[in-house]
């Protein structure tokens, strides 16, 4: 598990900073892993900027304190929060392009702490986990994530080629990327497009080719992300017009729905028998279909009629599939 690997790396750092020199076999025994895993972990620490030394005379590894920058003013709660958040930003869980950087930073901070505080954080972190929404971006787009991230942080223009389903062709534009947004299991970039001559939102998964340009841009002071992206259900706003949505949830799902902020515009009305009525204004109600179906018979769309019809169609199609005899291999 990812959390186990993070805890093992921190255990490794603690051993190497104890003042004793350990060989690979001893480290493997202490961490209860193979020597091969130890070598892989040592390489991970090196890549994170934590330079482990090998003592030829003593035939072992050590981590001198002078290689670590101290963070004396951090409290136990602050370090624990940073560590828990960063340890769960792993590619096997959410696929965020910032995960490696976050893990490296947390490892450096943790390794700089006094022994007592570091041990407290390591022990406490084993009892806290954050499970984020799963995502599995294609390898092709991993490079585009990094290119866009570099462009956003360095304020450099980037040329992108992206799929345009409506026009059934690939479109090229020079983009001044102002902001990156992670929503609904994928990344978006918001910026000024030379083709559209205005600010537009692009799903990064639609990008086929990206090239960082030398030309730099200045982000307008009036730029506000909320003006150019939709709500929770539809980050790529296709229309400025919003539609009123009304959904009735039965008692089994009512409590879970009531206690979560699904949308900034949502309103919850309590009805008889423990049921609730969920109301919100969204730009593209069709985007809510999968969410609604996840509640099964506990959710009923009251309005708009178009969303009710779409959910009904999906249920009918699913019923037809399951009414057939399953194919035998």
């Amino acid at each position: 598990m990812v959390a186990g690997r993070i805890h093992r790396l921190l255990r490794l750092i603690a051993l190497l900073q104890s003042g004793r020199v350990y060989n690979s076999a001893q480290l493997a025994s202490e961490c209860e892993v193979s020597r091969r895993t130890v070598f892989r972990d040592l390489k991970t620490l090196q890549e994170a900027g934590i330079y482990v030394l090998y003592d030829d005379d003593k035939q072992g590894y050590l981590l001198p304190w002078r290689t670590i920058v101290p963070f004396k003013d951090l409290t136990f709660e602050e370090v624990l929060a940073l560590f828990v958040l960063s340890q769960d930003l792993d590619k096997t869980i959410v696929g965020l392009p910032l995960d490696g950087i976050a893990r490296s930073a947390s490892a450096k901070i943790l390794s700089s702490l006094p022994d007592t505080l570091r041990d407290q954080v390591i022990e406490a972190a084993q009892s806290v986990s954050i499970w984020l929404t799963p995502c599995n971006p294609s390898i092709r787009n991993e490079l585009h994530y990094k290119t866009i991230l570099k462009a956003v942080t360095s304020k450099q223009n980037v040329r992108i080629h992206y799929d345009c389903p409506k026009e059934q062709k690939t479109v090229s534009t020079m983009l001044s990327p102002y902001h990156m947004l992670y929503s609904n299991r994928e990344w978006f970039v918001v910026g000024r497009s030379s083709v559209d001559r205005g600010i537009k939102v692009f799903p990064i998964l639609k990008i086929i080719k990206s090239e960082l340009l030398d030309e730099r841009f200045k982000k307008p002071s009036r730029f506000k992300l909320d003006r150019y992206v939709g709500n929770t259900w539809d980050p790529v706003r296709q229309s400025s017009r919003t539609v009123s949505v009304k959904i009735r949830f039965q008692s089994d799902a009512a409590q879970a729905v009531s206690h979560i902020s699904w949308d900034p515009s949502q309103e919850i009305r309590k009805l008889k028998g423990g049921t609730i009525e969920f109301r919100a204004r969204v730009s593209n109600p069709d985007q809510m279909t999968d969410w609604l179906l996840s509640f099964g018979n506990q959710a009923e769309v009251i309005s708009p009629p178009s969303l009710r019809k779409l959910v009904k169609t999906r249920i009918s199609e699913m019923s037809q599939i399951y009414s057939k005899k399953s194919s035998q291999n």
Side-chain angles (χ1 to χ4, degrees):
M1 294 178 62
V2 175
R5 180 170 179 265
I6 297 293
H7 296 146
R8 189 177 68 246
L9 288 172
L10 296 174
R11 171 62 176 161
L12 195 59
I13 291 173
L15 290 170
L16 295 171
Q17 285 189 335
S18 66
R20 175 183 169 184
V21 177
Y22 289 86
N23 60 35
S24 59
Q26 292 169 328
L27 290 173
S29 176
E30 290 285 346
C31 296
E32 299 181 350
V33 294
S34 66
R35 291 180 63 195
R36 182 177 180 180
T37 298
V38 166
F39 290 133
R40 186 165 59 246
D41 288 347
L42 290 173
K43 182 180 179 182
T44 299
L45 293 179
Q46 298 280 16
E47 292 173 347
I50 302 175
Y51 302 106
V52 180
L53 301 181
Y54 183 78
D55 190 316
D56 289 324
D57 295 332
K58 298 182 179 179
Q59 296 289 297
Y61 299 91
L62 71 155
L63 187 61
W65 274 102
R66 65 176 180 273
T67 64
I68 306 300
V69 179
F71 294 84
K72 297 180 179 178
D73 297 330
L74 293 176
T75 65
F76 166 77
E77 289 79 10
E78 289 172 336
V79 180
L80 178 62
L82 287 172
F83 177 60
V84 171
L85 286 171
S86 64
Q87 74 174 356
D88 284 337
L89 296 181
D90 190 274
K91 290 183 178 180
T92 59
I93 298 181
V94 291
L96 303 179
L98 304 175
D99 63 327
I101 301 172
R103 289 198 307 275
S104 295
S106 66
K108 290 178 181 179
I109 292 173
L110 203 61
S111 64
S112 73
L113 300 175
D115 292 347
T116 302
L117 178 57
R118 183 174 64 248
D119 292 341
Q120 289 176 345
V121 172
I122 293 174
E123 181 179 357
Q126 297 182 46
S127 302
V128 182
S129 296
I130 299 176
W131 288 6
L132 301 177
T133 307
C135 178
N136 185 26
S138 65
I139 296 176
R140 180 194 75 180
N141 288 91
E142 189 171 341
L143 176 62
H144 303 318
Y145 289 133
K146 294 179 180 179
T147 300
I148 298 299
L149 179 61
K150 173 65 176 177
V152 170
T153 55
S154 62
K155 293 183 172 59
Q156 287 180 254
N157 288 329
V158 61
R159 178 161 294 282
I160 62 172
H161 301 259
Y162 63 96
D163 283 329
C164 188
K166 289 185 177 180
E167 300 180 19
Q168 295 185 341
K169 66 177 183 180
T170 300
V171 178
S172 172
T173 184
M174 186 182 76
L175 181 69
S176 298
Y178 297 155
H179 200 97
M180 285 181 71
L181 167 69
Y182 183 75
S183 177
N184 285 355
R185 305 186 184 189
E186 64 175 308
W187 278 94
F188 300 86
V189 57
V190 186
R192 191 182 191 283
S193 165
S194 62
V195 170
D196 300 275
R197 296 185 179 181
I199 295 178
K200 188 175 179 180
V201 183
F202 296 91
I204 295 182
L205 282 174
K206 296 289 185 182
I207 297 177
I208 300 172
K209 182 180 179 182
S210 61
E211 177 187 1
L212 193 64
L213 305 177
D214 293 331
E215 181 182 351
R216 296 182 180 273
F217 65 85
K218 184 177 180 181
K219 184 176 178 179
S221 58
R222 65 181 181 278
F223 172 80
K224 301 294 181 184
L225 181 65
D226 293 345
R227 292 178 57 188
Y228 302 102
V229 298
N231 50 35
T232 307
W233 312 104
D234 186 19
V236 183
R237 177 174 289 166
Q238 299 178 7
S239 171
S240 58
R241 185 178 67 91
T242 59
V243 178
S244 179
V245 172
K246 188 185 300 182
I247 304 160
R248 185 170 296 142
F249 288 94
Q250 299 303 315
S251 56
D252 287 350
Q255 186 174 13
V257 173
S258 300
H259 291 176
I260 297 176
S261 178
W262 302 96
D263 186 273
S265 66
Q266 77 180 42
E267 294 179 6
I268 303 292
R269 287 185 56 195
K270 293 184 178 180
L271 305 177
K272 293 181 179 180
T275 63
I276 63 167
E277 190 175 86
F278 175 96
R279 296 182 179 186
R281 296 196 63 85
V282 300
S283 57
N284 189 352
D286 292 357
Q287 295 284 337
M288 303 176 69
T289 307
D290 290 340
W291 177 69
L292 289 166
L293 290 172
S294 71
F295 290 97
N297 64 356
Q298 292 295 302
E300 179 190 0
V301 177
I302 307 302
S303 64
S306 59
L307 179 58
R308 183 180 176 91
K309 181 179 179 180
L310 178 58
V311 173
K312 183 178 179 180
T313 300
R314 289 282 296 275
I315 293 173
S316 177
E317 292 172 347
M318 292 171 64
S319 178
Q320 290 178 23
I321 292 174
Y322 284 97
S323 64
K324 300 175 184 178
K325 291 184 178 180
S326 60
S327 58
Q328 299 295 325
N329 294 331

